[in-house]
Amino acid sequence: MNQHPAHKPDYEKELRRAGVRITRPRKIILRILTETDDHPDAMEIFQRATIIDPSISLSTVYRTMKLLEEMGAIHRHAFEGGRARFEQADGEHHDHLIDMDTGDVIEFHSDRIEKLQEEIARSLGYDIVHHRLELYGRKRRKT
Amino acid sequence: MNQHPAHKPDYEKELRRAGVRITRPRKIILRILTETDDHPDAMEIFQRATIIDPSISLSTVYRTMKLLEEMGAIHRHAFEGGRARFEQADGEHHDHLIDMDTGDVIEFHSDRIEKLQEEIARSLGYDIVHHRLELYGRKRRKT
DNA sequence: AATGCAATTGCAAATCGTTTGCAATAAAAA
DNA sequence: TTTTTATTGCAAACGATTTGCAATTGCATT
Ligand SMILES: [Mn+2]
Ligand SMILES: [Mn+2]
Ligand SMILES: [Zn+2]
Ligand SMILES: [Zn+2]
């Protein structure tokens, strides 16, 4: 379903290597994360997981997200409104355009913007560790 | 202390015009907002207000911030970590560089980035309503 | 396969920032 | 001044996330 032939990260291997146990909940959550193309929040992940195994708890979802984030396997986004949303950290860096009507998240990338950010930070005497660029908009009205 | 000779907005007048009562707490909060140059959070505003009038409550600070935000008098920022931070909405649009070590917020503006954002949104079929660009970085180590 | 034990879990309770219901208070209209 | 009504302070509620803890489970060991 995904056109990118890219890296299919083997998280279970990574986890093992980090000395972390491969448990049933973790397996399920990882599968959900690798199979989705969107940016689900913890509750969404929890609900999808519940379908597979109704005994999973929301706490475990949160704990697993934190674990994966610390391992660098996922990114956490704090878009406007409520909950944090997550996505796999494989693939290229990109920023997000959020459709204010539907909540859809569209990914984009601009080398020129990235460059300009670097220049600005440098001119202010800083090194960028990370950044956040979010565009909030609506579908153009066809007049 | 501020080099900008710019607009000194008369919020009390604006509030009156909007049919809102000029109360003691509101006066104090407005004064704090116009006198500061940084991006304080509600608790910070509350503490500064408490010095002037110890009877002010945190709820009132929150309520006033919401009111001012809805009037377009202030901007609310959700930088990383904890609380929302606020600033007057007068002055030109700008984005922020956050010093990860000190928490300092440095303002900057790039016409070129703003333009590029527009182009990107347009090419995706969207109109931007607003956006958020935050750089998180550290002071460059002088090697 | 059975054992032992530390890592992980589910649950409930706690936490944090923010919001809200309500009775008391204070703007501003009369 | 009196009346009207918005605003306040307080405590309790809120939603997202985290945590303590006893029970369970992965998995290294026999
Ligand atoms: Mn993304
Ligand atoms: Mn600012
Ligand atoms: Zn970027
Ligand atoms: Zn901008």
Side-chain angles (χ1 to χ4, degrees), chain B residues 21 23 26 55-57 59-60 63:
Chain B
R21 289 186 183 172
T23 66
R26 283 177 182 159
S55 77
I56 284 177
S57 81
S59 316
T60 295
R63 279 192 276 237

Side-chain angles (χ1 to χ4, degrees), chain A residues 67-82:
Chain A
L67 178 79
L68 294 174
E69 190 188 10
E70 281 163 358
M71 291 181 48
I74 61 170
H75 290 313
R76 172 192 303 262
H77 301 292
F79 299 141
E80 291 188 348

Side-chain angles (χ1 to χ4, degrees), chain B residues 93-95 108-110 113-114 117 131-133:
Chain B
H93 165 77
H94 57 261
D95 297 295
F108 67 86
H109 177 87
S110 165
I113 289 184
E114 302 289 324
Q117 289 176 170
H131 67 272
R132 172 151 91 176
L133 171 56

Side-chain angles (χ1 to χ4, degrees), chain A residues 93-95 108-110 113-114 117 131-133:
Chain A
H93 165 75
H94 58 262
D95 297 295
F108 67 86
H109 177 87
S110 165
I113 289 184
E114 302 288 325
Q117 290 175 171
H131 67 272
R132 172 153 93 175
L133 171 56

Side-chain angles (χ1 to χ4, degrees), chain A residues 94-113:
Chain A
H94 58 262
D95 297 295
H96 299 93
L97 164 57
I98 294 93
D99 185 314
M100 299 177 75
D101 297 315
T102 67
D104 289 354
V105 176
I106 297 158
E107 306 184 331
F108 67 86
H109 177 87
S110 165
D111 270 316
R112 302 186 54 202
I113 289 184

